[in-house]
């Protein structure tokens, strides 16, 4: 039994939802409200704290048997890597070829270090109004994300149909979110036509998460 703990709105947890859908795995999503986490006596606080003391989502709880404790893992990409490694699905979201798998990992790490972390810092400052993030960090992070889009993402999608080559992989799940987030944070005003076409192809996939269909929120 696979149980995903997620917030009631779109977050990085939807990456995992898409991964689960693509793999055709049976799962349950438990949606909790961040506002309930302030109350340490609430069931939402207790549920999330039991699997992640930092009270962050997503968290995956995999009940392997009736006799052993469940396997718990956090962080969206780590969860996706775990799910893709399970022997119960014939779908391959990680290439079997070691060079192709390494290329996918390389591009995932570029996305995480050059886009994801900077988009989050920007959102913490401008969306959550956290003064602990220096105001100058927003401009710096915006520049880093924009450069990554121009130097890497646009180029990769000119060279191949998908982010990491000729097949759909975990890298596509990540970058669809990152590109959409980049638009939502107004790092770029418009996307290159071939990137727009790529996003449309991805959104047409049956496993595409429902909470992403409304666009950035």
């Amino acid at each position: 039994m696979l149980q995903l703990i997620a917030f009631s709105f779109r977050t990085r947890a939807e990456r995992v939802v898409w991964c689960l859908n693509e793999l055709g795995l049976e799962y349950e999503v438990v949606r909790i409200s961040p506002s309930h986490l302030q109350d340490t006596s609430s069931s939402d606080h207790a549920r999330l704290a039991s699997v992640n003391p930092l009270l962050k989502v997503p968290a995956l709880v995999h009940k392997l048997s009736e006799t052993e404790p469940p396997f718990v893992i956090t962080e969206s990409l780590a969860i996706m890597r775990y799910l893709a490694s399970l022997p119960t699905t014939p779908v391959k979201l990680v290439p079997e070829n070691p060079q192709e798998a390494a290329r996918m990992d390389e591009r995932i790490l570029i996305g995480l270090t050059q886009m994801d972390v900077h988009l989050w810092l920007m959102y913490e400052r401008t969306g959550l109004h956290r003064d602990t993030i220096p105001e100058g960090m927003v401009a710096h992070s915006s520049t880093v994300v924009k450069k990554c889009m121009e130097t890497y993402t646009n180029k990769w999608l000119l060279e191949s149909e998908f982010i990491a080559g000729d097949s759909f992989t975990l890298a596509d799940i990540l970058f669809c979110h990152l590109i959409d987030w980049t638009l939502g944070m107004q790092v770029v005003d418009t996307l290159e036509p071939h990137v727009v076409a790529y996003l449309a192809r991805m959104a047409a996939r049956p496993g595409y998460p429902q909470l992403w269909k409304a666009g950035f929120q």
Side-chain angles (χ1 to χ4, degrees):
M1 175 64 184
L2 293 165
Q3 183 184 80
L4 177 67
I5 301 177
F7 286 151
S8 53
F9 51 88
R10 52 177 285 159
T11 64
R12 293 179 178 93
E14 303 316 304
R15 300 172 182 172
V16 182
V17 170
W18 191 359
C19 181
L20 286 160
N21 291 343
E22 291 284 345
L23 292 171
L25 297 170
E26 293 187 11
Y27 65 95
E28 173 193 16
V29 179
V30 177
R31 302 270 181 195
I32 62 178
S33 172
S35 61
H36 294 167
L37 299 180
Q38 305 301 319
D39 180 2
T40 57
S41 65
S42 71
S43 58
D44 279 356
H45 185 282
R47 185 189 297 273
L48 188 53
S50 68
V51 295
N52 190 342
L54 294 178
L55 300 178
K56 293 184 177 181
V57 299
L60 183 80
V61 181
H62 189 184
K63 188 175 182 181
L64 299 166
S65 73
E66 296 296 333
T67 58
E68 57 185 313
F71 175 71
V72 177
I73 186 168
T74 61
E75 298 297 328
S76 62
L77 265 296
I79 295 171
M80 289 159 58
R81 257 297 196 171
Y82 171 69
L83 292 172
S85 73
L86 294 177
T88 53
T89 172
V91 178
K92 300 297 180 185
L93 296 184
V94 175
E96 294 183 322
N97 177 281
Q99 288 76 36
E100 293 176 1
R103 184 67 68 203
M104 180 201 74
D105 285 336
E106 171 200 58
R107 295 186 177 181
I108 284 174
L109 288 171
I110 288 172
L112 291 176
T113 59
Q114 301 301 305
M115 295 182 72
D116 187 89
V117 65
H118 289 282
L119 288 164
W120 174 244
L121 286 172
M122 292 172 65
Y123 181 69
E124 279 194 297
R125 175 68 191 192
T126 62
L128 300 178
H129 306 292
R130 290 176 178 165
D131 294 336
T132 52
I133 306 298
E135 188 173 355
M137 181 63 74
V138 174
H140 168 72
S141 291
S142 179
T143 299
V144 174
V145 172
K146 188 173 183 179
K147 184 177 181 180
C148 186
M149 283 287 296
E150 294 171 348
T151 305
Y152 291 118
T153 314
N154 292 347
K155 178 176 176 286
W156 294 337
L157 291 174
L158 277 175
E159 295 173 342
S160 58
E161 183 178 357
F162 299 95
I163 287 292
D166 297 325
S167 62
F168 181 88
T169 68
L170 299 180
D172 294 288
I173 295 176
L174 172 64
F175 272 87
C176 278
H177 182 212
L178 295 179
I179 296 169
D180 184 55
W181 201 358
T182 298
L183 276 175
M185 294 302 297
Q186 299 179 332
V187 174
V188 295
D189 296 323
T190 58
L191 298 173
E192 295 291 332
H194 70 285
V195 179
V196 175
Y198 165 77
L199 291 179
R201 292 196 308 273
M202 297 302 100
R205 294 181 71 89
Y208 193 80
Q210 289 291 326
L211 283 182
W212 279 3
K213 291 185 177 181
F216 182 85
Q217 298 169 351

